[in-house]
Amino acid sequence: MNEFRIHHDVNELLSLLHVRGGDGAEGYIDLLQKHRTPYVTTTVSAHSAKVKLAEFSKTPEDFLRKYEELKSKNVRNLDPLVYLLSKLCEDKETLQFLQQNAKERSESSANATSTTTTSYTLPPTSSKMSMQELEELRKKLGNVTASSNAPLPAEVTRKMLRDKHNKKNPTQPNPVFPNWVYDRPALLGDFIPSPNPQGDPTVSIGSMPLAAQELALVEDLLFVLVGVDGRDITAQPVLGRQNRSFIVDPTLDMSVKELVNRILPVASYYSTITRFIEEKSSFEYGQVNHALTAAMRTLMKEYLILVTQLEHLQLQGLLSLQKLWFYIQPTMRTMEILASIASSVDKGECMGGSTLSLLHDRTFNYTGDSQAQELCLYLTKAASVPYFEILEKWIYRGIIKDPYSEFMVEEHELQKEKIQEDYNDKYWDQRYTIVQHRIPSYLQKMADKILSTGKYLNVVRECGRDVTCPDAKEVLYTLKERAYVEQIEKAYYYASKVLLDFLLEEKELVSRLRSIKHYFLMDKGDFFVHFMDLTDEELKKPVDDIVPPRLEALLELALRMSTANTDPFKDDLKIDLMPHDVITQLLRVLAIETKQEKAIINAEQTDVALSGLEAFSFDYIVKWPLSLIINRKALTRYQMLFRHMFYCKHVERLLCNVWISNKDSHQYSLRSPKWFAAAFALRQRMLNFVQNIQYYMMFEVMEPTWHVMENNLKTASNIDDVLCHHTSFLDNCLKDCMLTNPELLRIFSKLMAVCVMFTNCMQKFTQSMRLERLSLEQTMEGLSVQSEHAEESDRKRMTTKFLAEHMDTHQSDASFEATIGKFDSNFSMLLLDLLDKLSIYSTNDCEHSMISIIYRLDFNGFYTERLERMAIERSQKAAA
């Protein structure tokens, strides 16, 4: 199931059942994921569920007939489905919803049909149809129905299978039998159509004495038992997968006829088995069916030997009809089982794993019949040999050699190089996949381990190392599952250890992850100070004006001048200029598979060009096989975290620059420092907010989560655990840094925008003050000439006083104070909104880590009273 499938299915079910309120889809999804355990349907529970559904059904006979039909075709998961339906019948509320939904759907489809169909009327007839015409019409309609339900001819089926294989493996075409194998029916030995036998047609067998009738029928039966028509017993033609039936001379004595009818089923079984062997032994039906037909052919040789011995007795005049019945009875059960298996495989169109599942189920179903169970065990062992040979190569060497598409693991042509290029590339998940209907039922529990074992070994092989499991032994089918389960588990543990050691030790996975952490999670402080100082002017430019090689050169310089110079993987760090700012990127990701997705994708691009700071990100070169862990999806998550923190660091630097420039302003505000107090206080609140958010993300989210991941990697037993821990680390960081909640993200982006606009305003104000100071200093030059005889200290004091008075006069109007007040109110309102939302999510959604932000920003209770007031107002609105 893919990443969003379970969410989609749950939402569809809720909408179909008109479920409202409660915990919503997320609650059901969590419940499903926590309690997703396989349910094993026993024979007793399946039978009771079938009986319950039959009682509930309006047409129980049709239901049972359909169930038996599906069972004969070996439909997978039939019993679990029946059990689920029986449980749904017990739930009255769910049943009512389903019935209402079915009624609405039928009404809507009826309305749609009524608007699109055209009524037709039969032409009037002048006379009624005779009974003979009616009977002929009925026969024609029956023939048409039978032909439409009949399976495709064998040659058509073979061609379809051959074309399917050749399309998948164009370099390895299927071998084909020559045409004469199929064009010469005498090779089949199954009741070849022939002209009437020579003899006196006037002599009827019913007119013969009873002893002569018996002798004639013994000869006929010996012919029929080997697929040749007799004189008085002839085979009916078969259509599709029907069982062979026979016509016996109606004049035959009733006592003899009764005994003949007891023996004829053996001939029908022989016909079914022979047709199955001849058809399924073709290459197109796979190696498992070929091995099964070979085992059946061996058993049929014993049967033919028995019939040959009976013919010798008949030639010697020692074989009567009763003796024939006596000798044939022990073989009858064997032939019945073989014919039943042949019919089930044929009806279910089984190949590979599905054939083995059917044989395994039959073997267990005959637990009380030792002879039948031994026969099925022999067939299952023989048929499983080619399947287990493919399995051995997969779990011991990581190689798939499956020319007829029978094995449970299917290989897809994917390029591992795309892992670093395509965000949606799923090489690890889709290069090798499980095909459910090819899994033998006795290997169902081990399917995931079998898939993982071969995948692990295959990764190591693709790195140029030949690996073979040292505990490799032949895997054989047995009723005791533990025998081959142990072999699979040994191979799995070996493959897990080989790949894990290869990645952790030889490829230094943990060191690579630490290197990525240095840059993307910003734990190399001196490097970022150097880098931001060096690239400050370059990143202020529009993204189209930035020269990437220049940024690469500055990055190289910053790496060499800082402690990052000791990192052996620093040369893999690269510059990447993204097409969107980080907020847009995050919102686009969060809108995937939602109603807002189309609106966001189709939204027109704004005319505001991105600056270098907004588009800037790092990228990292990762080679195979480390790209399995650090793939494009993981790197994109790292980039989101980095861009978010990098922009926060940029805003912090802007606020610190405002603080530096404001220090110069103190000397101009001798008489009215209150005018600057509001701006200085707001700047400090903004700086406190940005610094605390950064501290929370780095030291309360990323560092603890990183240490948890490092400890988990030490105890990981396979590469899937490593993938899971790494993905969990990134997901937790994104969630706790407020990057997965669109509502919090929008509020935070607005807060950052207010901070940036405030710094721009303050910088413009400071710049204007500097210009005013320059003009006033020029004015003061004239005054200094007049007071050249005054003392030096008096002259300086008079100059400073004059500048301060003129600067205060320039800013005495209310515009500056109103602007600062507007910034203050916007920042306070957004900050309160953020704290309020954080309080809601931390209590309702159990996001306890986010409450640390409230404790940091409201450390002295400054916002507590206002937050409580907002909570009361919200509860009153909800109650109303």
Side-chain angles (χ1 to χ4, degrees), residues 505-550:
E505 296 175 8
E506 188 170 331
K507 296 299 180 179
E508 301 178 286
L509 174 63
V510 176
S511 299
R512 281 281 182 180
L513 291 174
R514 287 199 189 104
S515 174
I516 291 174
K517 177 175 177 278
H518 292 332
Y519 310 115
F520 286 88
L521 304 187
M522 298 180 69
D523 75 343
K524 286 286 186 184
D526 62 325
F527 161 71
F528 280 99
V529 170
H530 282 299
F531 180 74
M532 297 184 83
D533 287 341
L534 291 169
T535 59
D536 188 43
E537 292 300 324
E538 189 73 18
L539 291 178
K540 286 179 182 177
K541 300 177 183 178
V543 67
D544 295 332
D545 297 340
I546 293 178
V547 182
R550 177 171 171 76

Short mmCIF file of all heavy atoms in Angstrom, two decimals, residues 505-550:
data_model
loop_
_atom_site.label_atom_id
_atom_site.label_comp_id
_atom_site.label_asym_id
_atom_site.label_seq_id
_atom_site.Cartn_x
_atom_site.Cartn_y
_atom_site.Cartn_z
N GLU A 505 29.92 0.17 7.81
CA GLU A 505 31.38 0.14 7.97
C GLU A 505 32.11 0.57 6.70
O GLU A 505 32.91 1.50 6.72
CB GLU A 505 31.80 -1.28 8.39
CG GLU A 505 31.23 -1.69 9.75
CD GLU A 505 31.55 -3.13 10.10
OE1 GLU A 505 32.35 -3.75 9.36
OE2 GLU A 505 31.00 -3.64 11.09
N GLU A 506 31.84 -0.11 5.61
CA GLU A 506 32.59 0.20 4.39
C GLU A 506 32.16 1.53 3.78
O GLU A 506 32.99 2.30 3.30
CB GLU A 506 32.40 -0.93 3.38
CG GLU A 506 33.30 -0.80 2.16
CD GLU A 506 33.29 -2.04 1.31
OE1 GLU A 506 33.08 -3.15 1.86
OE2 GLU A 506 33.48 -1.93 0.08
N LYS A 507 30.85 1.81 3.77
CA LYS A 507 30.34 3.05 3.17
C LYS A 507 30.14 4.17 4.18
O LYS A 507 29.75 5.27 3.80
CB LYS A 507 29.02 2.76 2.44
CG LYS A 507 29.15 1.81 1.26
CD LYS A 507 30.08 2.38 0.20
CE LYS A 507 30.23 1.43 -0.99
NZ LYS A 507 31.12 1.98 -2.03
N GLU A 508 30.39 3.91 5.47
CA GLU A 508 30.38 4.94 6.53
C GLU A 508 29.07 5.74 6.52
O GLU A 508 29.06 6.97 6.41
CB GLU A 508 31.56 5.89 6.37
CG GLU A 508 32.91 5.20 6.44
CD GLU A 508 34.06 6.16 6.22
OE1 GLU A 508 34.27 6.57 5.07
OE2 GLU A 508 34.71 6.51 7.22
N LEU A 509 27.97 5.03 6.64
CA LEU A 509 26.66 5.68 6.59
C LEU A 509 26.48 6.69 7.71
O LEU A 509 26.02 7.82 7.47
CB LEU A 509 25.56 4.61 6.66
CG LEU A 509 24.14 5.14 6.77
CD1 LEU A 509 23.76 5.95 5.55
CD2 LEU A 509 23.14 3.99 6.98
N VAL A 510 26.84 6.33 8.93
CA VAL A 510 26.63 7.25 10.06
C VAL A 510 27.47 8.51 9.90
O VAL A 510 27.01 9.63 10.18
CB VAL A 510 26.94 6.53 11.40
CG1 VAL A 510 26.81 7.50 12.57
CG2 VAL A 510 26.01 5.34 11.59
N SER A 511 28.70 8.37 9.41
CA SER A 511 29.54 9.55 9.18
C SER A 511 28.94 10.44 8.10
O SER A 511 29.00 11.67 8.18
CB SER A 511 30.95 9.11 8.77
OG SER A 511 31.55 8.33 9.78
N ARG A 512 28.36 9.83 7.10
CA ARG A 512 27.68 10.60 6.05
C ARG A 512 26.51 11.39 6.63
O ARG A 512 26.30 12.56 6.31
CB ARG A 512 27.17 9.66 4.96
CG ARG A 512 28.23 9.21 4.00
CD ARG A 512 28.51 10.29 2.96
NE ARG A 512 29.50 9.84 1.99
CZ ARG A 512 29.92 10.58 1.00
NH1 ARG A 512 29.46 11.80 0.84
NH2 ARG A 512 30.82 10.13 0.14
N LEU A 513 25.74 10.73 7.46
CA LEU A 513 24.59 11.41 8.07
C LEU A 513 25.05 12.55 8.98
O LEU A 513 24.42 13.62 9.02
CB LEU A 513 23.75 10.40 8.86
CG LEU A 513 22.99 9.36 8.03
CD1 LEU A 513 22.32 8.34 8.93
CD2 LEU A 513 21.95 10.03 7.15
N ARG A 514 26.17 12.34 9.69
CA ARG A 514 26.70 13.43 10.52
C ARG A 514 27.14 14.60 9.66
O ARG A 514 26.95 15.77 10.02
CB ARG A 514 27.88 12.92 11.35
CG ARG A 514 27.48 12.01 12.50
CD ARG A 514 28.58 11.91 13.54
NE ARG A 514 28.29 10.89 14.52
CZ ARG A 514 28.86 9.70 14.56
NH1 ARG A 514 29.77 9.38 13.65
NH2 ARG A 514 28.53 8.83 15.49
N SER A 515 27.75 14.29 8.51
CA SER A 515 28.18 15.35 7.60
C SER A 515 26.98 16.16 7.11
O SER A 515 27.02 17.39 7.06
CB SER A 515 28.93 14.74 6.42
OG SER A 515 29.24 15.72 5.45
N ILE A 516 25.91 15.47 6.76
CA ILE A 516 24.70 16.17 6.32
C ILE A 516 24.13 17.01 7.46
O ILE A 516 23.65 18.13 7.26
CB ILE A 516 23.66 15.14 5.82
CG1 ILE A 516 24.16 14.52 4.51
CG2 ILE A 516 22.29 15.76 5.62
CD1 ILE A 516 23.29 13.40 4.00
N LYS A 517 24.20 16.48 8.66
CA LYS A 517 23.69 17.23 9.82
C LYS A 517 24.48 18.52 10.02
O LYS A 517 23.91 19.56 10.39
CB LYS A 517 23.78 16.35 11.07
CG LYS A 517 23.35 17.03 12.36
CD LYS A 517 23.35 16.04 13.50
CE LYS A 517 22.98 16.70 14.82
NZ LYS A 517 24.13 17.37 15.43
N HIS A 518 25.79 18.49 9.79
CA HIS A 518 26.61 19.70 9.97
C HIS A 518 26.06 20.86 9.14
O HIS A 518 26.04 22.01 9.61
CB HIS A 518 28.06 19.43 9.55
CG HIS A 518 28.78 18.47 10.45
ND1 HIS A 518 28.46 18.32 11.77
CD2 HIS A 518 29.82 17.61 10.20
CE1 HIS A 518 29.25 17.41 12.31
NE2 HIS A 518 30.08 16.97 11.37
N TYR A 519 25.64 20.57 7.92
CA TYR A 519 25.28 21.64 6.99
C TYR A 519 23.78 21.89 6.91
O TYR A 519 23.34 23.03 6.96
CB TYR A 519 25.84 21.31 5.59
CG TYR A 519 27.30 20.94 5.64
CD1 TYR A 519 27.72 19.66 5.30
CD2 TYR A 519 28.25 21.86 6.07
CE1 TYR A 519 29.07 19.30 5.36
CE2 TYR A 519 29.60 21.51 6.13
CZ TYR A 519 30.00 20.24 5.79
OH TYR A 519 31.32 19.89 5.86
N PHE A 520 23.01 20.83 6.83
CA PHE A 520 21.57 21.02 6.65
C PHE A 520 20.86 21.34 7.97
O PHE A 520 19.82 22.00 7.94
CB PHE A 520 20.94 19.77 6.03
CG PHE A 520 21.26 19.61 4.57
CD1 PHE A 520 22.40 18.94 4.16
CD2 PHE A 520 20.42 20.13 3.60
CE1 PHE A 520 22.70 18.79 2.82
CE2 PHE A 520 20.71 19.99 2.25
CZ PHE A 520 21.86 19.32 1.86
N LEU A 521 21.40 20.88 9.08
CA LEU A 521 20.79 21.19 10.38
C LEU A 521 21.60 22.23 11.14
O LEU A 521 21.35 22.48 12.32
CB LEU A 521 20.64 19.91 11.21
CG LEU A 521 19.83 18.78 10.53
CD1 LEU A 521 19.59 17.64 11.50
CD2 LEU A 521 18.51 19.30 9.98
N MET A 522 22.59 22.82 10.48
CA MET A 522 23.30 24.02 10.94
C MET A 522 23.94 23.84 12.32
O MET A 522 23.78 24.69 13.20
CB MET A 522 22.34 25.22 10.95
CG MET A 522 21.79 25.56 9.58
SD MET A 522 20.67 26.97 9.56
CE MET A 522 21.79 28.31 9.93
N ASP A 523 24.64 22.74 12.51
CA ASP A 523 25.32 22.58 13.80
C ASP A 523 26.80 22.98 13.74
O ASP A 523 27.54 22.78 14.69
CB ASP A 523 25.17 21.15 14.33
CG ASP A 523 26.05 20.14 13.62
OD1 ASP A 523 26.53 20.47 12.52
OD2 ASP A 523 26.25 19.04 14.16
N LYS A 524 27.24 23.55 12.60
CA LYS A 524 28.58 24.13 12.48
C LYS A 524 28.43 25.65 12.49
O LYS A 524 28.35 26.29 11.43
CB LYS A 524 29.26 23.66 11.19
CG LYS A 524 29.72 22.21 11.22
CD LYS A 524 30.96 22.06 12.07
CE LYS A 524 31.51 20.63 11.99
NZ LYS A 524 32.66 20.44 12.88
N GLY A 525 28.38 26.23 13.69
CA GLY A 525 28.08 27.66 13.81
C GLY A 525 29.10 28.56 13.15
O GLY A 525 28.74 29.51 12.44
N ASP A 526 30.39 28.27 13.34
CA ASP A 526 31.42 29.15 12.77
C ASP A 526 31.40 29.11 11.24
O ASP A 526 31.62 30.13 10.58
CB ASP A 526 32.81 28.76 13.29
CG ASP A 526 33.19 27.34 12.87
OD1 ASP A 526 32.28 26.47 12.81
OD2 ASP A 526 34.37 27.10 12.60
N PHE A 527 31.08 27.94 10.66
CA PHE A 527 30.98 27.86 9.21
C PHE A 527 29.88 28.77 8.68
O PHE A 527 30.06 29.50 7.69
CB PHE A 527 30.72 26.41 8.80
CG PHE A 527 30.16 26.26 7.40
CD1 PHE A 527 30.96 26.51 6.28
CD2 PHE A 527 28.83 25.90 7.21
CE1 PHE A 527 30.43 26.39 5.01
CE2 PHE A 527 28.31 25.78 5.94
CZ PHE A 527 29.11 26.03 4.83
N PHE A 528 28.73 28.78 9.35
CA PHE A 528 27.62 29.59 8.86
C PHE A 528 27.87 31.08 9.06
O PHE A 528 27.43 31.90 8.25
CB PHE A 528 26.31 29.15 9.51
CG PHE A 528 25.73 27.92 8.89
CD1 PHE A 528 25.92 26.68 9.47
CD2 PHE A 528 25.05 27.99 7.69
CE1 PHE A 528 25.41 25.55 8.88
CE2 PHE A 528 24.54 26.85 7.09
CZ PHE A 528 24.72 25.63 7.69
N VAL A 529 28.60 31.43 10.12
CA VAL A 529 28.94 32.86 10.30
C VAL A 529 29.84 33.31 9.16
O VAL A 529 29.61 34.36 8.53
CB VAL A 529 29.64 33.07 11.66
CG1 VAL A 529 30.22 34.48 11.74
CG2 VAL A 529 28.66 32.84 12.79
N HIS A 530 30.86 32.52 8.85
CA HIS A 530 31.75 32.85 7.73
C HIS A 530 30.97 32.91 6.42
O HIS A 530 31.13 33.84 5.63
CB HIS A 530 32.87 31.80 7.61
CG HIS A 530 33.96 31.99 8.61
ND1 HIS A 530 34.73 33.13 8.67
CD2 HIS A 530 34.43 31.17 9.60
CE1 HIS A 530 35.62 33.01 9.64
NE2 HIS A 530 35.46 31.83 10.22
N PHE A 531 30.15 31.87 6.22
CA PHE A 531 29.45 31.78 4.93
C PHE A 531 28.48 32.94 4.74
O PHE A 531 28.43 33.55 3.65
CB PHE A 531 28.71 30.44 4.86
CG PHE A 531 27.95 30.24 3.58
CD1 PHE A 531 28.61 29.96 2.39
CD2 PHE A 531 26.56 30.34 3.55
CE1 PHE A 531 27.91 29.78 1.21
CE2 PHE A 531 25.85 30.17 2.38
CZ PHE A 531 26.53 29.89 1.21
N MET A 532 27.72 33.27 5.76
CA MET A 532 26.73 34.35 5.62
C MET A 532 27.40 35.71 5.50
O MET A 532 26.89 36.61 4.82
CB MET A 532 25.74 34.32 6.79
CG MET A 532 24.91 33.04 6.84
SD MET A 532 23.66 33.01 8.12
CE MET A 532 22.34 33.91 7.33
N ASP A 533 28.54 35.86 6.15
CA ASP A 533 29.29 37.12 5.97
C ASP A 533 29.82 37.24 4.54
O ASP A 533 29.77 38.33 3.94
CB ASP A 533 30.46 37.17 6.96
CG ASP A 533 29.99 37.43 8.39
OD1 ASP A 533 28.85 37.92 8.54
OD2 ASP A 533 30.75 37.12 9.33
N LEU A 534 30.32 36.13 4.00
CA LEU A 534 30.89 36.16 2.66
C LEU A 534 29.83 36.36 1.57
O LEU A 534 30.08 37.03 0.56
CB LEU A 534 31.67 34.87 2.38
CG LEU A 534 32.97 34.67 3.18
CD1 LEU A 534 33.48 33.24 3.00
CD2 LEU A 534 34.03 35.66 2.74
N THR A 535 28.68 35.75 1.78
CA THR A 535 27.66 35.76 0.72
C THR A 535 26.56 36.79 0.95
O THR A 535 25.55 36.78 0.25
CB THR A 535 27.01 34.36 0.60
OG1 THR A 535 26.42 34.02 1.88
CG2 THR A 535 28.03 33.32 0.23
N ASP A 536 26.74 37.66 1.93
CA ASP A 536 25.67 38.61 2.28
C ASP A 536 25.25 39.45 1.08
O ASP A 536 24.06 39.55 0.75
CB ASP A 536 26.14 39.51 3.43
CG ASP A 536 25.01 40.36 3.96
OD1 ASP A 536 23.90 39.83 4.12
OD2 ASP A 536 25.23 41.56 4.18
N GLU A 537 26.21 40.05 0.41
CA GLU A 537 25.89 40.92 -0.72
C GLU A 537 25.36 40.12 -1.92
O GLU A 537 24.44 40.56 -2.62
CB GLU A 537 27.14 41.71 -1.14
CG GLU A 537 27.59 42.74 -0.11
CD GLU A 537 26.51 43.78 0.16
OE1 GLU A 537 25.80 44.16 -0.81
OE2 GLU A 537 26.36 44.20 1.32
N GLU A 538 25.93 38.94 -2.14
CA GLU A 538 25.52 38.14 -3.30
C GLU A 538 24.08 37.64 -3.15
O GLU A 538 23.31 37.64 -4.11
CB GLU A 538 26.48 36.95 -3.46
CG GLU A 538 26.31 36.15 -4.75
CD GLU A 538 26.83 36.89 -5.97
OE1 GLU A 538 27.61 37.86 -5.81
OE2 GLU A 538 26.43 36.52 -7.08
N LEU A 539 23.71 37.21 -1.95
CA LEU A 539 22.38 36.64 -1.74
C LEU A 539 21.28 37.69 -1.68
O LEU A 539 20.09 37.36 -1.71
CB LEU A 539 22.36 35.79 -0.46
CG LEU A 539 23.16 34.50 -0.51
CD1 LEU A 539 23.11 33.77 0.82
CD2 LEU A 539 22.66 33.57 -1.62
N LYS A 540 21.66 38.97 -1.56
CA LYS A 540 20.64 40.02 -1.59
C LYS A 540 20.13 40.28 -3.00
O LYS A 540 19.07 40.88 -3.19
CB LYS A 540 21.22 41.32 -1.01
CG LYS A 540 21.37 41.31 0.50
CD LYS A 540 21.97 42.61 0.99
CE LYS A 540 22.16 42.59 2.51
NZ LYS A 540 22.80 43.83 3.00
N LYS A 541 20.86 39.83 -4.00
CA LYS A 541 20.46 40.07 -5.39
C LYS A 541 19.26 39.20 -5.76
O LYS A 541 18.99 38.18 -5.13
CB LYS A 541 21.63 39.73 -6.33
CG LYS A 541 22.88 40.53 -6.10
CD LYS A 541 23.97 40.03 -7.05
CE LYS A 541 25.30 40.74 -6.81
NZ LYS A 541 26.37 40.20 -7.70
N PRO A 542 18.53 39.59 -6.82
CA PRO A 542 17.50 38.68 -7.35
C PRO A 542 18.14 37.38 -7.82
O PRO A 542 19.29 37.36 -8.26
CB PRO A 542 16.91 39.48 -8.53
CG PRO A 542 17.24 40.90 -8.24
CD PRO A 542 18.55 40.89 -7.49
N VAL A 543 17.38 36.32 -7.73
CA VAL A 543 17.94 35.01 -8.01
C VAL A 543 18.46 34.90 -9.45
O VAL A 543 19.43 34.17 -9.71
CB VAL A 543 16.89 33.91 -7.71
CG1 VAL A 543 15.73 33.97 -8.69
CG2 VAL A 543 17.53 32.53 -7.73
N ASP A 544 17.84 35.63 -10.38
CA ASP A 544 18.29 35.56 -11.77
C ASP A 544 19.64 36.25 -11.99
O ASP A 544 20.31 35.99 -12.99
CB ASP A 544 17.25 36.20 -12.69
CG ASP A 544 15.95 35.41 -12.70
OD1 ASP A 544 16.01 34.18 -12.46
OD2 ASP A 544 14.88 36.01 -12.92
N ASP A 545 20.01 37.15 -11.06
CA ASP A 545 21.27 37.88 -11.21
C ASP A 545 22.43 37.20 -10.50
O ASP A 545 23.58 37.66 -10.60
CB ASP A 545 21.11 39.31 -10.67
CG ASP A 545 20.09 40.10 -11.46
OD1 ASP A 545 19.81 39.70 -12.61
OD2 ASP A 545 19.56 41.09 -10.93
N ILE A 546 22.15 36.14 -9.78
CA ILE A 546 23.20 35.47 -9.01
C ILE A 546 24.00 34.55 -9.94
O ILE A 546 23.44 33.83 -10.78
CB ILE A 546 22.60 34.66 -7.85
CG1 ILE A 546 21.98 35.61 -6.82
CG2 ILE A 546 23.65 33.78 -7.19
CD1 ILE A 546 21.32 34.91 -5.67
N VAL A 547 25.31 34.57 -9.75
CA VAL A 547 26.20 33.69 -10.53
C VAL A 547 26.53 32.47 -9.67
O VAL A 547 27.28 32.59 -8.68
CB VAL A 547 27.49 34.43 -10.93
CG1 VAL A 547 28.37 33.54 -11.78
CG2 VAL A 547 27.16 35.73 -11.65
N PRO A 548 25.97 31.28 -9.97
CA PRO A 548 26.21 30.09 -9.13
C PRO A 548 27.68 29.76 -8.91
O PRO A 548 28.06 29.40 -7.79
CB PRO A 548 25.47 28.97 -9.88
CG PRO A 548 24.39 29.68 -10.64
CD PRO A 548 24.99 30.99 -11.04
N PRO A 549 28.55 29.86 -9.94
CA PRO A 549 29.97 29.56 -9.67
C PRO A 549 30.57 30.45 -8.59
O PRO A 549 31.45 30.01 -7.84
CB PRO A 549 30.64 29.78 -11.03
CG PRO A 549 29.57 29.55 -12.03
CD PRO A 549 28.32 30.07 -11.39
N ARG A 550 30.12 31.71 -8.53
CA ARG A 550 30.64 32.60 -7.49
C ARG A 550 30.20 32.11 -6.11
O ARG A 550 31.00 32.11 -5.16
CB ARG A 550 30.15 34.03 -7.75
CG ARG A 550 30.58 35.01 -6.67
CD ARG A 550 30.28 36.45 -7.06
NE ARG A 550 30.52 37.36 -5.95
CZ ARG A 550 31.72 37.75 -5.52
NH1 ARG A 550 32.81 37.30 -6.14
NH2 ARG A 550 31.85 38.58 -4.51
#
